[in-house]
Amino acid sequence: MAQNDQNETVKLIGTWSSPFALRARVALHLKSVKYEYLDEPDVLNAKSELLIKSNPIHKKVPVLIHGDVSICESLNIVQYVDEAWPSVPSILPSHPYDRANARFWAQYVDDKVFASLDAVGGAKDDEGRMAAAGKLMECLATLEEAFQKSSKGLGFFGGENLGFLDIACGTILGPVSVIEAFSGVKFLRQETTPGLIQWAEKFKAHEAVKPYMPTAEEFLAFAKKKFGVE
């Protein structure tokens, strides 16, 4: 990667399994920012002093450290990177409406899609699991509609190039693959989400994503270890 535009050192605190840390890494790669990656190997049980100091409110990854300031929360980090290094390519759309629309759907992913994923994974019985699965399918169908409108027939939510909404939505792919493996239910289906299926393959193969995104098998192995499942 090329040297960043500013003299301040850049560090990113993350963990390999975090889909939210992935957002920050993709954004930094797109902007060719040189940075030091600081992995939190046991973020579920033990947190480093630097993480607690840098994000004292939530104590969560990712955290971007730029010079003497810390930026927390993944979508906030992506927007900061886009503005702090204003070189091409732009991550957020240039038109105010398109920027607002991208932010809206990114928040939809965090508020609705992840809530549905958590509900499926945390269901106590088959009835609750079926209800949660139905809600997740509704959310993904809604996201499919958003993709069809935003992509304008091209490969990414942002059109020809990977952008803000692609980075936001890409975080669901690992968790979806885990939920599919545990439940035996396919949530990304050709008959309901054909656009998302094609988009997912392009996203995972993108040069700014591939080096940092774990495989479905790696996500599944991590989830089994996390929840004590053989």
Side-chain angles (χ1 to χ4, degrees), residues 141-200:
T142 300
L143 204 57
E144 170 76 15
E145 294 179 13
F147 173 77
Q148 297 296 346
K149 292 179 180 178
S150 297
S151 66
K152 299 178 176 64
L154 300 173
F156 294 103
F157 278 92
E160 292 183 350
N161 301 313
L162 187 148
F164 181 76
L165 191 48
D166 299 289
I167 294 173
C169 291
T171 53
I172 71 172
L173 297 178
V176 166
S177 69
V178 170
I179 292 296
E180 287 181 338
F182 277 135
S183 67
V185 177
K186 289 293 291 182
F187 291 99
L188 290 176
R189 303 178 179 182
Q190 191 62 41
E191 61 270 24
T192 55
T193 57
L196 288 181
I197 291 175
Q198 292 185 14
W199 161 81

Side-chain angles (χ1 to χ4, degrees), residues 38-65:
L38 304 173
D39 189 60
E40 288 278 321
D42 193 22
V43 72
L44 296 176
N45 301 306
K47 304 177 191 296
S48 68
E49 290 184 12
L50 181 61
L51 175 60
I52 295 172
K53 177 183 176 181
S54 303
N55 188 2
I57 304 300
H58 299 299
K59 302 178 179 65
K60 293 181 179 179
V61 298
V63 179
L64 181 70
I65 303 173

Side-chain angles (χ1 to χ4, degrees), residues 19 21 38-39 68 83 109 125 128 134 178 200 213 230:
L38 304 173
D39 189 60
D68 58 358
E83 294 171 1
V109 169
D125 51 43
V178 170
M213 186 168 189
E230 295 296 331

Side-chain angles (χ1 to χ4, degrees), residues 101-150:
N101 191 55
R103 290 191 184 103
F104 172 86
W105 285 110
Q107 201 61 52
Y108 178 85
V109 169
D110 282 6
D111 291 346
K112 301 297 184 180
V113 181
F114 272 104
S116 296
L117 283 164
D118 289 343
V120 175
K124 303 300 183 184
D125 51 43
D126 289 341
E127 182 179 357
R129 190 171 297 106
M130 288 179 62
K135 182 62 178 177
L136 177 56
M137 288 181 179
E138 289 178 13
C139 288
L140 293 174
T142 300
L143 204 57
E144 170 76 15
E145 294 179 13
F147 173 77
Q148 297 296 346
K149 292 179 180 178
S150 297

Side-chain angles (χ1 to χ4, degrees), residues 11-72:
K11 299 178 181 181
L12 178 67
I13 307 175
T15 186
W16 72 269
S17 60
S18 168
F20 302 104
L22 174 69
R23 289 176 173 174
R25 302 203 78 176
V26 172
L28 289 164
H29 188 115
L30 285 173
K31 290 292 186 173
S32 297
V33 177
K34 184 178 180 180
Y35 66 98
E36 180 183 359
Y37 181 66
L38 304 173
D39 189 60
E40 288 278 321
D42 193 22
V43 72
L44 296 176
N45 301 306
K47 304 177 191 296
S48 68
E49 290 184 12
L50 181 61
L51 175 60
I52 295 172
K53 177 183 176 181
S54 303
N55 188 2
I57 304 300
H58 299 299
K59 302 178 179 65
K60 293 181 179 179
V61 298
V63 179
L64 181 70
I65 303 173
H66 186 194
D68 58 358
V69 299
S70 300
I71 302 92
C72 306

